Amino acid sequence: QVQLVESGGGLVQAGASLRLSCAASGRTFSTYAWFRQAPGKEREFVAGIRWTIGRTDYADSVKGQFTISRDNAKNTVYLQMNSLKPEDTAVYYCAASTIASVQMGDMDYWGKGTLVTVSS
């Protein structure tokens, strides 16, 4: 049974850092990605990583601020978030795809999400 379990969310002040984790079980996928959904907004892509080659992709809004990485031995993907801003407040979802794509529609499995709240 495939599971993606996110952790690491919480309440922080603006300027702080958080690291989200996504522990995958059941199988290994071609691509893992983080998406987020802020209150009243649509879910959006944040960052993605190709499991085998480690290639990364980022939304323009988080380039230079967030870093996605993976630990092959632990089958875990991370999202390091620095210099957090109130507009980064959202539920962050981990997702996985069997193909080399970071498109939301190509994700095959989703975690339940972890809430990140950034206060000003």
Side-chain angles (χ1 to χ4, degrees), residues 8-42:
L11 171 63
V12 296
Q13 290 189 330
S17 297
L18 276 177
R19 188 178 78 159
L20 305 182
S21 299
C22 172
S25 61
R27 62 167 290 175
T28 300
F29 290 87
S30 176
T31 304
Y32 292 80
W34 288 95
F35 295 80
R36 66 184 180 186
Q37 188 164 16
K41 295 188 177 181
E42 293 186 351

Side-chain angles (χ1 to χ4, degrees), residues 50-87:
R50 308 291 196 265
W51 187 255
T52 302
I53 63 175
R55 172 185 163 177
T56 57
D57 296 284
Y58 295 93
D60 288 342
S61 59
V62 304
K63 281 182 182 176
Q65 182 190 0
F66 291 2
T67 303
I68 189 170
S69 62
R70 75 204 192 292
D71 185 325
N72 295 57
K74 295 182 179 180
N75 211 20
T76 299
V77 176
Y78 303 98
L79 185 68
Q80 177 67 43
M81 306 185 296
N82 298 327
S83 303
L84 284 163
K85 312 165 189 174
E87 51 264 43

